[in-house]
Amino acid sequence: MATPIIVFQLKLLLLIVFVVQFSAANRPSLVDTFRSIIKPKADSTTWAVLVAGSKEYFNYRHQADICHAYQILKKGGLKDEHIIVFMYDDIANDPENPRPGVIINSPNGSDVYAGVPKDYTGESVITANFYAVLLGNKTAVKGGSGKVVASKPKDRIFVYYADHGGPGLLGMPSMNTSDYIYANDFIQVLKTKHAGGTYDKMVIYVEACESGSIFQGLLPKNLNIYVTTASNAEESSWGTYCPGLTPPPPPEFNTCLGDLYSISWMEDSDSKDLTHETLQQQYLRVKKRTLNNNSSEGSHVMQYGTLSIRKETVSNYQGSATRKISADPFHTFDTMGVINQRDVDLYLMRQKYERLTDGTQQQNDLLKKIKEITAYRAYLDSSVNMIKRYLLGSGDGPVRDEGSALVDDWDCLKFMVRTFETHCGSLTQYGMKHTRTFANICNSGVTKKAMDEATRKSCSSFN
């Protein structure tokens, strides 16, 4: 028979278990705790800068990405006065567009072009304007609407860029030597913005090949800036929703509608309550989908900077207004048909060639163009390889520590790019991949005189 003391102890134990279970059931989760604590400060504003760095119809997907991003932010409650859009604006009414005045970003997607502000279009889509807008420097802006990020200390900023890239640089529509976005310059702009005390936190998403190289070893962790990139510092990113692949665009479209990383984060944003999804949760979902089932046709989404920001909800940067959640039926983690960003133009030309009537002038002209582009790419590859042999012999230059910046002397890299384009011609979107070789040459301590002589000699042999 149980003694009174044992009975009392059993009752006390049951009471403790009940209290603990009740407390656990009503205690918010760790994620919910972060959500309740990390919210935009009172009287703060969320700003956004959206940049499509390309032009021409075969690059349709970049402007489609940017337009889709605008629609997400608009539905989230951001005002047009706080969203600044850079896009060349040449594809909606391009003769090849089967739906004039309309841009879509997925096979059954709605028009994402409607209502998009035309802040900086055509020749005003330049690096200098991008920097001036981000810094809130109205006097430095040339052309365009003149709208800038006039942010204040409590404000948040969302930046999204989509285009071609290469090790250490991002493209802009002119593809002019003087208009690349170099990693060190961009990081300096971010440091200047932080030093000015004109924002609370910033989130940056970048779609481009080797986009990790823009931040790896360069972005300090104390700027209150959180970044995710479509790829690491050494791999390509991928176009998707392309003709002949799965899933394809509507049959009348001979172009890729989106980019794998970009459609992954945007279709996630469309299908989730962003007030309950953290940046980290979105990063993990996008990372999984962009890896494309661990295939060779996928990339590693990376994150850099102030990683504590990832605990915040996506709504802090993409808007918290109540909106209709609309899951795209193509939003799937199944393997996606994709094309290397650098090969999309030729791929689309070949797709078009196959559909044209044999022997027509149009088909012959297109074949000639395909051959010219293919030959120029072979010339670029051969020229760079010859320069490398002249300056580095059979090696690749010094091995950099893992996580290091691409190059130490960025002026040297810029000189090498400028010298190559002076003597050899434009790198083009395809040739941007060769900046890693140029960086290796700089890291080897090669003199500028030797670079100039080797480049001149190499390219004159092909002319």
Side-chain angles (χ1 to χ4, degrees):
M1 186 174 181
T3 66
I5 293 177
I6 295 175
V7 172
F8 174 79
Q9 289 176 335
L10 286 172
K11 289 182 177 179
L12 181 61
L13 181 60
L14 289 172
L15 179 62
I16 291 171
V17 171
F18 174 80
V19 170
V20 169
Q21 289 179 336
F22 180 83
S23 176
N26 290 277
R27 184 171 59 245
S29 69
L30 185 59
V31 172
D32 287 335
T33 299
F34 283 129
R35 287 180 187 136
S36 64
I37 294 173
I38 307 174
K39 292 183 178 180
K41 296 176 181 177
D43 70 355
S44 69
T45 298
T46 299
W47 295 79
V49 181
L50 310 177
V51 183
S54 67
K55 62 181 178 181
E56 299 189 62
Y57 190 72
F58 64 84
N59 284 319
Y60 180 106
R61 63 199 182 280
H62 299 136
Q63 292 182 55
D65 292 338
I66 292 303
C67 290
H68 188 175
Y70 166 79
Q71 302 298 340
I72 290 171
L73 300 178
K74 187 69 175 177
K75 290 176 183 176
L78 272 67
K79 298 178 180 178
D80 281 356
E81 62 205 72
H82 299 137
I83 305 174
I84 299 141
V85 179
F86 286 78
M87 58 184 290
Y88 206 81
D89 196 27
D90 60 336
I91 67 167
N93 293 297
D94 185 283
E96 288 195 65
N97 187 1
R99 301 180 189 177
V102 171
I103 296 175
I104 60 175
N105 196 215
S106 70
N108 68 338
S110 58
D111 179 21
V112 293
Y113 184 65
V116 177
K118 310 297 195 316
D119 292 306
Y120 297 91
T121 61
E123 301 305 312
S124 67
V125 183
I126 57 175
T127 299
N129 277 348
F130 172 50
Y131 292 163
V133 164
L134 200 53
L135 292 172
N137 188 351
K138 288 182 71 73
T139 60
V141 169
K142 297 179 181 178
S145 67
K147 199 187 331 180
V148 300
V149 178
S151 54
K152 297 177 182 177
K154 295 181 181 179
D155 293 351
R156 279 171 163 74
I157 302 172
F158 177 68
V159 179
Y160 169 49
Y161 169 96
D163 184 29
H164 296 276
L169 77 170
L170 300 171
M172 286 299 250
S174 69
M175 288 303 295
N176 195 316
T177 305
S178 61
D179 204 39
Y180 290 123
I181 297 175
Y182 281 94
N184 70 314
D185 294 333
F186 185 34
I187 299 300
Q188 186 55 52
V189 168
L190 297 178
K191 289 178 178 178
T192 301
K193 184 72 175 176
H194 180 263
T198 54
Y199 71 94
D200 181 28
K201 294 172 185 174
M202 186 185 306
V203 167
I204 303 174
Y205 286 2
V206 179
E207 170 77 66
C209 294
E210 291 92 13
S211 44
S213 67
I214 304 301
F215 305 97
Q216 179 178 292
L218 292 171
L219 180 66
K221 296 181 179 180
N222 63 350
L223 300 186
N224 275 354
I225 297 175
Y226 171 68
V227 176
T228 77
T229 60
S231 61
N232 63 28
E234 300 180 354
E235 62 189 356
S236 300
S237 60
W238 302 84
T240 194
Y241 296 146
C242 305
L245 301 180
T246 302
E252 67 269 24
F253 280 84
N254 186 51
T255 193
C256 300
L257 303 181
D259 295 290
L260 185 55
Y261 161 83
S262 292
I263 61 106
S264 293
W265 80 255
M266 286 187 282
E267 291 177 7
D268 180 76
S269 290
D270 282 333
S271 63
K272 298 290 188 301
D273 180 348
L274 302 185
T275 63
H276 288 85
E277 180 178 43
T278 65
L279 290 163
Q280 171 71 352
Q281 288 171 328
Q282 181 161 91
Y283 162 74
L284 291 174
R285 290 188 180 107
V286 173
K287 181 178 182 179
K288 179 180 179 181
R289 191 177 182 196
T290 307
L291 198 53
N292 214 12
N293 280 326
N294 295 303
S295 73
S296 60
E297 296 182 330
S299 60
H300 296 80
V301 176
M302 305 297 289
Q303 53 184 347
Y304 303 93
T306 311
L307 299 186
S308 59
I309 293 175
R310 63 190 176 182
K311 299 169 184 174
E312 298 189 36
T313 58
V314 178
S315 61
N316 285 356
Y317 300 89
Q318 296 179 25
S320 57
T322 301
R323 57 184 168 184
K324 181 181 178 182
I325 294 175
S326 54
D328 192 307
F330 290 100
H331 184 201
T332 173
F333 288 95
D334 293 341
T335 302
M336 299 280 288
V338 295
I339 298 293
N340 186 309
Q341 283 254 34
R342 296 192 174 101
D343 296 330
V344 168
D345 55 348
L346 275 179
Y347 174 83
L348 295 175
M349 288 180 193
R350 290 174 179 135
Q351 287 285 310
K352 184 176 181 179
Y353 176 84
E354 293 297 326
R355 292 200 302 270
L356 292 172
T357 304
D358 288 344
T360 61
Q361 188 62 46
Q362 187 180 10
Q363 191 189 52
N364 292 337
D365 289 345
L366 185 56
L367 180 60
K368 180 182 178 182
K369 189 175 182 180
I370 290 171
K371 289 180 177 179
E372 288 174 349
I373 293 174
T374 303
Y376 188 72
R377 291 185 176 187
Y379 157 74
L380 287 175
D381 294 341
S382 298
S383 298
V384 173
N385 286 334
M386 185 174 289
I387 293 167
K388 176 185 169 185
R389 288 197 298 272
Y390 276 132
L391 298 174
L392 300 179
S394 59
D396 292 320
V399 177
R400 306 282 284 178
D401 291 338
E402 186 175 352
S404 296
L406 174 73
V407 67
D408 295 320
D409 187 347
W410 287 89
D411 287 337
C412 174
L413 178 61
K414 294 171 187 176
F415 175 84
M416 189 63 221
V417 172
R418 189 164 57 248
T419 299
F420 182 88
E421 294 203 324
T422 297
H423 298 311
C424 306
S426 173
L427 277 172
T428 71
Q429 296 161 345
Y430 168 82
M432 291 170 76
K433 67 180 183 178
H434 290 305
T435 51
R436 184 169 300 281
T437 297
F438 298 159
N440 290 341
I441 290 170
C442 290
N443 292 333
S444 299
V446 176
T447 66
K448 291 183 177 179
K449 182 179 179 181
M451 291 179 194
D452 185 79
E453 289 177 353
T455 304
R456 190 188 302 269
K457 189 186 300 183
S458 297
C459 292
S460 64
S461 68
F462 287 101
N463 294 332

